[in-house]
Amino acid sequence: MNNAYFLNLKNNFLDNIGWSCFQLGVFCLPSSAFISYLFLFVALVNGSIKRRDLYWREYWNYPLVLVTFLMLIGCIRSHTGSLAWFGLFNWVPFFWFFWALHPYLLTPERRIKCASLLVLGSIPVLITGFGQLWLGWEGPWEVFDGLIIWFVSPGGEPLGRLSGLFDYANITAAWLSGVWPFCLASVLHPFIVGRNRVIPFVLLVAFIAAMILTNSRNAWGAIVLGLPLVIGSASWSWLIPLMLICFLPVIIAVLPVFDFGIQQFARSIVPDSVWMRLSDMQFVDTRSFEATRIGQWKVAVNLIFEKPWLGWGAAAFSIIYPLRTGLFHGHSHNLPLELGISHGILVSLLINIFVFSLLIISGLYGIFNRLNSTKNIIVDRAWWTSTLILICFYATDIPLFDSRINILGWILLIGLRCMIYNYKSQNISIKKI
């Protein structure tokens, strides 16, 4: 690709209404999807002006165009009728989104601003989450004559798990996990509130506490995964052994390979809610195999093999799974499998290759490249880590069905694409660790 393509974008959109609307849309995203969509739509239109003829020069768009055609063909032959067409809204508009929002994340300074807004915009999630658990707050709360509605469940949703203004604790966990690396990065290299470290540290503690209180295993894993990646490889020689020592009691309490006496001692140290949650012992007598993730994935794989090329159509799993097992689940709890069921193996492969290519190439050029001396590298590491964390979420859940999480994911992917351009324009060659 011609480098002047992106450079022209940077100059054309440096100071315009699109950038202001993008910032407002990002800040409002967790609190009000509707208001965020209005601002982001203006940013999308503004980001597309004078660029329609350049869409085909962006080679990262090619797999998305092919996926669009395959999805459309699949919808024509789907088994879920209108649901298949409605399912396209989870994907096709975001292929335009990926291209049109490049100008707003093109520079490191803009990515830093976006990261700050994601953190600050998450404060209502934290406040409502702590309020529902500790103060018994209960919604719905309406602002601006119902324009913003927060459905805050007293005691959390499910009960006892922090969900805040989101509908479900796992969705809240996905949002907080995707944003918390920016808090950690700002503690190490302040950027959220000037050079102040106190406020980012308070927010970091609040984020970690909220993630723990969601009782989401994915969120707990995000804490463990995020620390060494954001802090950087220079710390791994002491940080990873220290983390292993700290988590050793949890490992002993969960894995059934240790001596019974030692395991019981570890379980006396580790809170019951933690080791039981990690080992799934609370369901040992009440949960059938079909209700587990493995049971759902087994059915999902069978469905893919039955219609491998174009799939069954969107929402097929939620229709067919109850017919075959007598149990209801809205999705297969694994995004590659869900794509394979709904749209076929080719679509699933193309989307996964697209996402992992962005992740790997941006990592090799910048995040894990010893030749990269960019001063904002820690923010890029946090950005890369946030993307990886959300990808890991999609291995055991599908939070993108909440459009706010879907938008967050695409914003992170756009940032990776812009990082690759930045690193290439600086002529940083690839050098492994």
Side-chain angles (χ1 to χ4, degrees):
M1 174 184 293
N2 188 342
N3 287 344
Y5 166 58
F6 270 115
L7 290 174
N8 288 336
L9 286 180
K10 183 171 66 173
N11 294 332
N12 290 338
F13 294 97
L14 189 60
D15 295 304
N16 58 31
I17 192 171
W19 171 232
S20 298
C21 286
F22 176 78
Q23 294 178 82
L24 290 169
V26 169
F27 178 75
C28 294
L29 184 56
S31 299
S32 173
F34 177 73
I35 292 177
S36 177
Y37 298 161
L38 293 179
F39 286 122
L40 289 177
F41 181 76
V42 175
L44 284 166
V45 173
N46 211 327
S48 302
I49 295 174
K50 299 180 181 179
R51 292 180 55 201
R52 296 189 183 106
D53 59 329
L54 296 175
Y55 184 91
W56 303 104
R57 294 172 61 185
E58 168 57 291
Y59 56 83
W60 287 96
N61 290 334
Y62 298 165
L64 301 181
V65 172
L66 180 55
V67 164
T68 301
F69 281 116
L70 291 172
M71 285 183 168
L72 290 172
I73 295 171
C75 285
I76 295 172
R77 302 184 59 182
S78 76
H79 294 258
T80 58
S82 60
L83 289 176
W85 294 98
F86 282 116
L88 294 180
F89 286 98
N90 287 320
W91 293 100
V92 175
F94 293 98
F95 300 161
W96 169 44
F97 191 97
F98 175 77
W99 170 73
L101 295 186
H102 276 159
Y104 311 119
L105 295 171
L106 180 58
T107 65
E109 293 75 21
R110 290 196 166 192
R111 291 195 293 275
I112 290 173
K113 184 65 175 180
C114 179
S116 301
L117 292 170
L118 286 172
V119 173
L120 295 175
S122 301
I123 292 177
V125 181
L126 299 171
I127 293 174
T128 55
F130 294 137
Q132 71 180 170
L133 289 185
W134 298 337
L135 302 175
W137 289 356
E138 180 178 359
W141 299 341
E142 296 186 11
V143 182
F144 304 131
D145 198 24
L147 189 61
I148 300 176
I149 303 177
W150 290 350
F151 296 96
V152 180
S153 302
E157 179 59 41
L159 188 64
R161 297 176 59 184
L162 184 146
S163 56
L165 52 81
F166 286 92
D167 297 331
Y168 196 74
N170 286 349
I171 304 299
T172 307
W175 177 271
L176 295 174
S177 299
V179 176
W180 95 273
F182 299 126
C183 285
L184 178 57
S186 187
V187 172
L188 300 173
H189 182 76
F191 62 84
I192 291 179
V193 188
R195 301 191 63 82
N196 184 295
R197 278 191 169 90
V198 176
I199 295 176
F201 180 76
V202 172
L203 289 172
L204 176 63
V205 173
F207 262 83
I208 293 176
M211 289 164 68
I212 293 172
L213 291 172
T214 61
N215 205 25
S216 164
R217 289 165 290 190
N218 282 332
W220 298 349
I223 297 172
V224 177
L225 179 63
L227 277 171
L229 289 177
V230 175
I231 295 176
S233 57
S235 67
W236 291 356
S237 60
W238 60 267
L239 180 59
I240 293 179
L242 179 61
M243 291 175 64
L244 288 174
I245 293 172
C246 292
F247 290 111
L248 185 60
V250 179
I251 296 171
I252 295 174
V254 171
L255 297 180
V257 297
F258 295 96
D259 177 77
F260 179 78
I262 296 176
Q263 188 167 64
Q264 290 301 111
F265 176 74
R267 288 178 176 179
S268 68
I269 299 174
V270 179
D272 291 350
S273 59
V274 173
W275 69 262
M276 290 182 69
R277 176 68 172 158
L278 291 173
S279 61
D280 251 359
M281 285 193 65
Q282 68 268 45
F283 299 115
V284 69
D285 296 323
T286 60
R287 200 175 195 184
S288 64
F289 174 75
E290 289 77 12
T292 65
R293 293 287 196 270
I294 297 175
Q296 294 158 21
W297 296 340
K298 180 181 177 181
V299 174
V301 170
N302 290 335
L303 290 174
I304 292 172
F305 278 120
E306 290 177 28
K307 292 192 175 296
W309 303 117
L310 295 175
W312 296 79
F317 185 87
S318 63
I319 296 173
I320 300 173
Y321 188 77
L323 297 176
R324 298 196 177 181
T325 65
L327 301 171
F328 174 78
H329 279 290
H331 52 74
S332 59
H333 288 92
N334 178 277
L335 185 56
L337 291 178
E338 188 73 17
L339 280 168
I341 296 167
S342 301
H343 304 289
I345 290 176
L346 289 178
V347 167
S348 183
L349 284 175
L350 285 169
I351 292 291
N352 279 279
I353 290 171
F354 169 80
V355 170
F356 281 100
S357 295
L358 283 169
L359 190 72
I360 293 169
I361 294 173
S362 61
L364 290 177
Y365 268 108
I367 310 304
F368 302 112
N369 188 348
R370 281 185 283 176
L371 297 179
N372 186 4
S373 59
T374 307
K375 65 178 181 178
N376 295 315
I377 185 64
I378 191 167
V379 180
D380 286 352
R381 281 205 301 264
W383 197 286
W384 192 91
T385 301
S386 293
T387 310
L388 178 62
I389 285 172
L390 276 189
I391 289 173
C392 292
F393 258 84
Y394 287 124
T396 58
D397 207 346
I398 310 183
L400 70 76
F401 289 133
D402 185 299
S403 59
R404 292 168 289 184
I405 307 296
N406 202 357
I407 290 174
L408 173 62
W410 282 98
I411 286 174
L412 294 175
L413 291 177
I414 295 166
L416 294 186
R417 171 63 188 106
C418 293
M419 283 182 209
I420 294 171
Y421 164 73
N422 294 152
Y423 299 143
K424 285 186 175 181
S425 67
Q426 295 166 13
N427 293 318
I428 299 177
S429 60
I430 297 178
K431 183 174 182 180
K432 295 180 181 180
I433 298 176

